[in-house]
PDB file of all heavy atoms in Angstrom:
ATOM      1  N   ALA A   1      99.574  88.071 136.161  1.00 94.00           N
ATOM      2  CA  ALA A   1     100.963  88.543 136.242  1.00 94.00           C
ATOM      3  C   ALA A   1     101.778  88.078 135.035  1.00 94.00           C
ATOM      4  O   ALA A   1     102.585  88.834 134.499  1.00 94.00           O
ATOM      5  CB  ALA A   1     101.605  88.049 137.535  1.00 94.00           C
ATOM      6  N   ALA A   2     101.557  86.828 134.594  1.00 95.00           N
ATOM      7  CA  ALA A   2     102.290  86.319 133.436  1.00 95.00           C
ATOM      8  C   ALA A   2     101.923  87.094 132.177  1.00 95.00           C
ATOM      9  O   ALA A   2     102.794  87.459 131.374  1.00 95.00           O
ATOM     10  CB  ALA A   2     101.992  84.835 133.249  1.00 95.00           C
ATOM     11  N   ARG A   3     100.636  87.355 132.015  1.00 95.00           N
ATOM     12  CA  ARG A   3     100.199  88.140 130.846  1.00 95.00           C
ATOM     13  C   ARG A   3     100.774  89.546 130.889  1.00 95.00           C
ATOM     14  O   ARG A   3     101.236  90.082 129.865  1.00 95.00           O
ATOM     15  CB  ARG A   3      98.669  88.188 130.812  1.00 95.00           C
ATOM     16  CG  ARG A   3      98.097  89.016 129.675  1.00 95.00           C
ATOM     17  CD  ARG A   3      96.579  89.045 129.738  1.00 95.00           C
ATOM     18  NE  ARG A   3      96.015  89.916 128.725  1.00 95.00           N
ATOM     19  CZ  ARG A   3      95.895  91.236 128.871  1.00 95.00           C
ATOM     20  NH1 ARG A   3      96.282  91.821 130.009  1.00 95.00           N
ATOM     21  NH2 ARG A   3      95.380  91.972 127.905  1.00 95.00           N
ATOM     22  N   HIS A   4     100.773  90.154 132.067  1.00 94.00           N
ATOM     23  CA  HIS A   4     101.302  91.513 132.217  1.00 94.00           C
ATOM     24  C   HIS A   4     102.800  91.555 131.892  1.00 94.00           C
ATOM     25  O   HIS A   4     103.281  92.473 131.214  1.00 94.00           O
ATOM     26  CB  HIS A   4     101.060  92.003 133.647  1.00 94.00           C
ATOM     27  CG  HIS A   4     101.617  93.360 133.930  1.00 94.00           C
ATOM     28  ND1 HIS A   4     101.120  94.516 133.364  1.00 94.00           N
ATOM     29  CD2 HIS A   4     102.652  93.755 134.731  1.00 94.00           C
ATOM     30  CE1 HIS A   4     101.807  95.549 133.790  1.00 94.00           C
ATOM     31  NE2 HIS A   4     102.743  95.118 134.614  1.00 94.00           N
ATOM     32  N   GLN A   5     103.537  90.552 132.362  1.00 96.00           N
ATOM     33  CA  GLN A   5     104.975  90.508 132.111  1.00 96.00           C
ATOM     34  C   GLN A   5     105.272  90.336 130.621  1.00 96.00           C
ATOM     35  O   GLN A   5     106.181  90.970 130.083  1.00 96.00           O
ATOM     36  CB  GLN A   5     105.601  89.361 132.910  1.00 96.00           C
ATOM     37  CG  GLN A   5     107.111  89.249 132.786  1.00 96.00           C
ATOM     38  CD  GLN A   5     107.834  90.467 133.340  1.00 96.00           C
ATOM     39  OE1 GLN A   5     107.373  91.104 134.274  1.00 96.00           O
ATOM     40  NE2 GLN A   5     108.968  90.803 132.746  1.00 96.00           N
ATOM     41  N   MET A   6     104.503  89.496 129.960  1.00 96.00           N
ATOM     42  CA  MET A   6     104.728  89.278 128.535  1.00 96.00           C
ATOM     43  C   MET A   6     104.333  90.495 127.707  1.00 96.00           C
ATOM     44  O   MET A   6     104.948  90.789 126.672  1.00 96.00           O
ATOM     45  CB  MET A   6     103.981  88.033 128.072  1.00 96.00           C
ATOM     46  CG  MET A   6     104.464  86.760 128.748  1.00 96.00           C
ATOM     47  SD  MET A   6     103.794  85.243 128.048  1.00 96.00           S
ATOM     48  CE  MET A   6     104.788  85.086 126.581  1.00 96.00           C
ATOM     49  N   LEU A   7     103.332  91.236 128.152  1.00 95.00           N
ATOM     50  CA  LEU A   7     102.996  92.493 127.478  1.00 95.00           C
ATOM     51  C   LEU A   7     104.146  93.486 127.578  1.00 95.00           C
ATOM     52  O   LEU A   7     104.465  94.193 126.605  1.00 95.00           O
ATOM     53  CB  LEU A   7     101.724  93.087 128.094  1.00 95.00           C
ATOM     54  CG  LEU A   7     100.397  92.497 127.637  1.00 95.00           C
ATOM     55  CD1 LEU A   7      99.257  93.076 128.463  1.00 95.00           C
ATOM     56  CD2 LEU A   7     100.157  92.779 126.157  1.00 95.00           C
ATOM     57  N   LYS A   8     104.771  93.549 128.749  1.00 95.00           N
ATOM     58  CA  LYS A   8     105.938  94.417 128.914  1.00 95.00           C
ATOM     59  C   LYS A   8     107.074  93.980 127.988  1.00 95.00           C
ATOM     60  O   LYS A   8     107.786  94.823 127.428  1.00 95.00           O
ATOM     61  CB  LYS A   8     106.404  94.398 130.368  1.00 95.00           C
ATOM     62  CG  LYS A   8     105.473  95.103 131.341  1.00 95.00           C
ATOM     63  CD  LYS A   8     105.896  94.887 132.784  1.00 95.00           C
ATOM     64  CE  LYS A   8     107.275  95.414 133.067  1.00 95.00           C
ATOM     65  NZ  LYS A   8     107.635  95.236 134.496  1.00 95.00           N
ATOM     66  N   MET A   9     107.234  92.677 127.813  1.00 96.00           N
ATOM     67  CA  MET A   9     108.276  92.173 126.932  1.00 96.00           C
ATOM     68  C   MET A   9     108.030  92.587 125.486  1.00 96.00           C
ATOM     69  O   MET A   9     108.972  92.941 124.756  1.00 96.00           O
ATOM     70  CB  MET A   9     108.367  90.648 127.043  1.00 96.00           C
ATOM     71  CG  MET A   9     108.895  90.143 128.371  1.00 96.00           C
ATOM     72  SD  MET A   9     108.742  88.347 128.554  1.00 96.00           S
ATOM     73  CE  MET A   9     109.763  87.789 127.199  1.00 96.00           C
ATOM     74  N   THR A  10     106.769  92.566 125.041  1.00 96.00           N
ATOM     75  CA  THR A  10     106.477  92.985 123.673  1.00 96.00           C
ATOM     76  C   THR A  10     106.818  94.456 123.464  1.00 96.00           C
ATOM     77  O   THR A  10     107.354  94.839 122.420  1.00 96.00           O
ATOM     78  CB  THR A  10     104.999  92.748 123.330  1.00 96.00           C
ATOM     79  OG1 THR A  10     104.163  93.501 124.230  1.00 96.00           O
ATOM     80  CG2 THR A  10     104.634  91.285 123.447  1.00 96.00           C
ATOM     81  N   VAL A  11     106.518  95.285 124.460  1.00 95.00           N
ATOM     82  CA  VAL A  11     106.850  96.713 124.358  1.00 95.00           C
ATOM     83  C   VAL A  11     108.356  96.915 124.324  1.00 95.00           C
ATOM     84  O   VAL A  11     108.886  97.702 123.524  1.00 95.00           O
ATOM     85  CB  VAL A  11     106.223  97.498 125.530  1.00 95.00           C
ATOM     86  CG1 VAL A  11     106.676  98.954 125.510  1.00 95.00           C
ATOM     87  CG2 VAL A  11     104.702  97.420 125.476  1.00 95.00           C
ATOM     88  N   GLN A  12     109.082  96.185 125.169  1.00 97.00           N
ATOM     89  CA  GLN A  12     110.537  96.315 125.210  1.00 97.00           C
ATOM     90  C   GLN A  12     111.175  95.891 123.890  1.00 97.00           C
ATOM     91  O   GLN A  12     112.079  96.559 123.375  1.00 97.00           O
ATOM     92  CB  GLN A  12     111.097  95.480 126.360  1.00 97.00           C
ATOM     93  CG  GLN A  12     110.752  96.012 127.739  1.00 97.00           C
ATOM     94  CD  GLN A  12     111.173  95.065 128.851  1.00 97.00           C
ATOM     95  OE1 GLN A  12     111.594  93.936 128.597  1.00 97.00           O
ATOM     96  NE2 GLN A  12     111.054  95.515 130.089  1.00 97.00           N
ATOM     97  N   ILE A  13     110.705  94.785 123.320  1.00 96.00           N
ATOM     98  CA  ILE A  13     111.292  94.301 122.072  1.00 96.00           C
ATOM     99  C   ILE A  13     110.978  95.264 120.926  1.00 96.00           C
ATOM    100  O   ILE A  13     111.851  95.581 120.103  1.00 96.00           O
ATOM    101  CB  ILE A  13     110.785  92.885 121.748  1.00 96.00           C
ATOM    102  CG1 ILE A  13     111.276  91.895 122.801  1.00 96.00           C
ATOM    103  CG2 ILE A  13     111.273  92.446 120.368  1.00 96.00           C
ATOM    104  CD1 ILE A  13     110.706  90.492 122.638  1.00 96.00           C
ATOM    105  N   SER A  14     109.732  95.736 120.858  1.00 96.00           N
ATOM    106  CA  SER A  14     109.381  96.675 119.779  1.00 96.00           C
ATOM    107  C   SER A  14     110.173  97.972 119.903  1.00 96.00           C
ATOM    108  O   SER A  14     110.618  98.537 118.891  1.00 96.00           O
ATOM    109  CB  SER A  14     107.876  96.962 119.801  1.00 96.00           C
ATOM    110  OG  SER A  14     107.501  97.607 121.007  1.00 96.00           O
ATOM    111  N   ASN A  15     110.367  98.447 121.126  1.00 96.00           N
ATOM    112  CA  ASN A  15     111.177  99.657 121.327  1.00 96.00           C
ATOM    113  C   ASN A  15     112.633  99.414 120.929  1.00 96.00           C
ATOM    114  O   ASN A  15     113.298 100.303 120.377  1.00 96.00           O
ATOM    115  CB  ASN A  15     111.098 100.113 122.780  1.00 96.00           C
ATOM    116  CG  ASN A  15     109.760 100.722 123.128  1.00 96.00           C
ATOM    117  OD1 ASN A  15     108.990 101.106 122.244  1.00 96.00           O
ATOM    118  ND2 ASN A  15     109.465 100.820 124.413  1.00 96.00           N
ATOM    119  N   GLN A  16     113.134  98.209 121.228  1.00 96.00           N
ATOM    120  CA  GLN A  16     114.497  97.866 120.835  1.00 96.00           C
ATOM    121  C   GLN A  16     114.640  97.876 119.313  1.00 96.00           C
ATOM    122  O   GLN A  16     115.629  98.393 118.769  1.00 96.00           O
ATOM    123  CB  GLN A  16     114.854  96.491 121.388  1.00 96.00           C
ATOM    124  CG  GLN A  16     116.239  95.986 121.012  1.00 96.00           C
ATOM    125  CD  GLN A  16     117.353  96.764 121.694  1.00 96.00           C
ATOM    126  OE1 GLN A  16     117.115  97.455 122.671  1.00 96.00           O
ATOM    127  NE2 GLN A  16     118.563  96.647 121.161  1.00 96.00           N
ATOM    128  N   ILE A  17     113.665  97.324 118.621  1.00 96.00           N
ATOM    129  CA  ILE A  17     113.702  97.309 117.155  1.00 96.00           C
ATOM    130  C   ILE A  17     113.683  98.729 116.606  1.00 96.00           C
ATOM    131  O   ILE A  17     114.469  99.087 115.708  1.00 96.00           O
ATOM    132  CB  ILE A  17     112.524  96.488 116.606  1.00 96.00           C
ATOM    133  CG1 ILE A  17     112.700  95.007 116.974  1.00 96.00           C
ATOM    134  CG2 ILE A  17     112.407  96.648 115.098  1.00 96.00           C
ATOM    135  CD1 ILE A  17     111.507  94.137 116.613  1.00 96.00           C
ATOM    136  N   ARG A  18     112.788  99.554 117.124  1.00 95.00           N
ATOM    137  CA  ARG A  18     112.710 100.942 116.661  1.00 95.00           C
ATOM    138  C   ARG A  18     114.025 101.681 116.901  1.00 95.00           C
ATOM    139  O   ARG A  18     114.504 102.435 116.044  1.00 95.00           O
ATOM    140  CB  ARG A  18     111.570 101.672 117.385  1.00 95.00           C
ATOM    141  CG  ARG A  18     110.179 101.199 117.001  1.00 95.00           C
ATOM    142  CD  ARG A  18     109.133 101.916 117.837  1.00 95.00           C
ATOM    143  NE  ARG A  18     107.787 101.466 117.556  1.00 95.00           N
ATOM    144  CZ  ARG A  18     107.015 101.945 116.591  1.00 95.00           C
ATOM    145  NH1 ARG A  18     107.473 102.912 115.804  1.00 95.00           N
ATOM    146  NH2 ARG A  18     105.790 101.475 116.406  1.00 95.00           N
ATOM    147  N   GLY A  19     114.614 101.479 118.098  1.00 95.00           N
ATOM    148  CA  GLY A  19     115.852 102.177 118.423  1.00 95.00           C
ATOM    149  C   GLY A  19     117.006 101.752 117.537  1.00 95.00           C
ATOM    150  O   GLY A  19     117.807 102.595 117.090  1.00 95.00           O
ATOM    151  N   VAL A  20     117.111 100.451 117.269  1.00 94.00           N
ATOM    152  CA  VAL A  20     118.196  99.957 116.409  1.00 94.00           C
ATOM    153  C   VAL A  20     118.057 100.510 114.993  1.00 94.00           C
ATOM    154  O   VAL A  20     119.043 100.928 114.369  1.00 94.00           O
ATOM    155  CB  VAL A  20     118.187  98.407 116.403  1.00 94.00           C
ATOM    156  CG1 VAL A  20     119.090  97.869 115.290  1.00 94.00           C
ATOM    157  CG2 VAL A  20     118.639  97.871 117.752  1.00 94.00           C
ATOM    158  N   MET A  21     116.861 100.528 114.473  1.00 95.00           N
ATOM    159  CA  MET A  21     116.654 100.975 113.096  1.00 95.00           C
ATOM    160  C   MET A  21     116.855 102.480 112.945  1.00 95.00           C
ATOM    161  O   MET A  21     117.268 102.952 111.876  1.00 95.00           O
ATOM    162  CB  MET A  21     115.256 100.552 112.633  1.00 95.00           C
ATOM    163  CG  MET A  21     115.077  99.038 112.554  1.00 95.00           C
ATOM    164  SD  MET A  21     113.448  98.497 112.008  1.00 95.00           S
ATOM    165  CE  MET A  21     113.437  99.074 110.315  1.00 95.00           C
ATOM    166  N   LYS A  22     116.571 103.245 114.008  1.00 95.00           N
ATOM    167  CA  LYS A  22     116.802 104.688 113.939  1.00 95.00           C
ATOM    168  C   LYS A  22     118.273 105.006 113.703  1.00 95.00           C
ATOM    169  O   LYS A  22     118.618 105.976 113.019  1.00 95.00           O
ATOM    170  CB  LYS A  22     116.341 105.349 115.241  1.00 95.00           C
ATOM    171  CG  LYS A  22     114.850 105.557 115.357  1.00 95.00           C
ATOM    172  CD  LYS A  22     114.514 106.227 116.675  1.00 95.00           C
ATOM    173  CE  LYS A  22     113.014 106.378 116.849  1.00 95.00           C
ATOM    174  NZ  LYS A  22     112.691 107.013 118.160  1.00 95.00           N
ATOM    175  N   THR A  23     119.147 104.193 114.298  1.00 93.00           N
ATOM    176  CA  THR A  23     120.584 104.415 114.152  1.00 93.00           C
ATOM    177  C   THR A  23     121.002 104.405 112.684  1.00 93.00           C
ATOM    178  O   THR A  23     121.943 105.112 112.281  1.00 93.00           O
ATOM    179  CB  THR A  23     121.368 103.338 114.926  1.00 93.00           C
ATOM    180  OG1 THR A  23     120.940 103.334 116.282  1.00 93.00           O
ATOM    181  CG2 THR A  23     122.871 103.587 114.863  1.00 93.00           C
ATOM    182  N   PHE A  24     120.293 103.626 111.865  1.00 93.00           N
ATOM    183  CA  PHE A  24     120.640 103.507 110.453  1.00 93.00           C
ATOM    184  C   PHE A  24     119.707 104.334 109.564  1.00 93.00           C
ATOM    185  O   PHE A  24     119.621 104.112 108.354  1.00 93.00           O
ATOM    186  CB  PHE A  24     120.588 102.034 110.029  1.00 93.00           C
ATOM    187  CG  PHE A  24     121.612 101.188 110.733  1.00 93.00           C
ATOM    188  CD1 PHE A  24     121.319 100.592 111.947  1.00 93.00           C
ATOM    189  CD2 PHE A  24     122.874 101.001 110.199  1.00 93.00           C
ATOM    190  CE1 PHE A  24     122.255  99.812 112.606  1.00 93.00           C
ATOM    191  CE2 PHE A  24     123.818 100.230 110.850  1.00 93.00           C
ATOM    192  CZ  PHE A  24     123.517  99.638 112.056  1.00 93.00           C
ATOM    193  N   GLY A  25     119.000 105.287 110.176  1.00 92.00           N
ATOM    194  CA  GLY A  25     118.151 106.178 109.408  1.00 92.00           C
ATOM    195  C   GLY A  25     116.839 105.582 108.964  1.00 92.00           C
ATOM    196  O   GLY A  25     116.167 106.136 108.088  1.00 92.00           O
ATOM    197  N   LEU A  26     116.435 104.462 109.552  1.00 93.00           N
ATOM    198  CA  LEU A  26     115.174 103.812 109.198  1.00 93.00           C
ATOM    199  C   LEU A  26     114.159 104.104 110.303  1.00 93.00           C
ATOM    200  O   LEU A  26     114.196 103.510 111.374  1.00 93.00           O
ATOM    201  CB  LEU A  26     115.371 102.303 109.027  1.00 93.00           C
ATOM    202  CG  LEU A  26     116.433 101.875 108.004  1.00 93.00           C
ATOM    203  CD1 LEU A  26     116.575 100.362 107.990  1.00 93.00           C
ATOM    204  CD2 LEU A  26     116.074 102.395 106.618  1.00 93.00           C
ATOM    205  N   ILE A  27     113.269 105.042 110.048  1.00 94.00           N
ATOM    206  CA  ILE A  27     112.289 105.479 111.054  1.00 94.00           C
ATOM    207  C   ILE A  27     111.003 104.691 110.866  1.00 94.00           C
ATOM    208  O   ILE A  27     110.353 104.778 109.807  1.00 94.00           O
ATOM    209  CB  ILE A  27     112.013 106.989 110.932  1.00 94.00           C
ATOM    210  CG1 ILE A  27     113.329 107.783 110.918  1.00 94.00           C
ATOM    211  CG2 ILE A  27     111.107 107.442 112.069  1.00 94.00           C
ATOM    212  CD1 ILE A  27     114.189 107.589 112.142  1.00 94.00           C
ATOM    213  N   VAL A  28     110.649 103.926 111.873  1.00 93.00           N
ATOM    214  CA  VAL A  28     109.418 103.121 111.823  1.00 93.00           C
ATOM    215  C   VAL A  28     108.234 104.007 112.197  1.00 93.00           C
ATOM    216  O   VAL A  28     108.222 104.599 113.288  1.00 93.00           O
ATOM    217  CB  VAL A  28     109.509 101.923 112.781  1.00 93.00           C
ATOM    218  CG1 VAL A  28     108.236 101.071 112.675  1.00 93.00           C
ATOM    219  CG2 VAL A  28     110.736 101.074 112.462  1.00 93.00           C
TER     220      VAL A  28
END
């Protein structure tokens, strides 16, 4: 369960980074 939760956190953080950068025209 701990590993699964941390995997979800990595996906959430990477998606957050992609979304923030899109706002400024930086497409990852």
Side-chain angles (χ1 to χ4, degrees):
R3 178 182 175 277
H4 177 68
Q5 183 63 31
M6 297 189 78
L7 280 173
K8 290 172 61 178
M9 291 171 61
T10 60
V11 174
Q12 291 173 352
I13 295 174
S14 63
N15 287 343
Q16 178 70 17
I17 293 173
R18 291 176 182 274
V20 167
M21 295 180 67
K22 281 181 183 179
T23 305
F24 296 89
L26 304 177
I27 309 301
V28 182

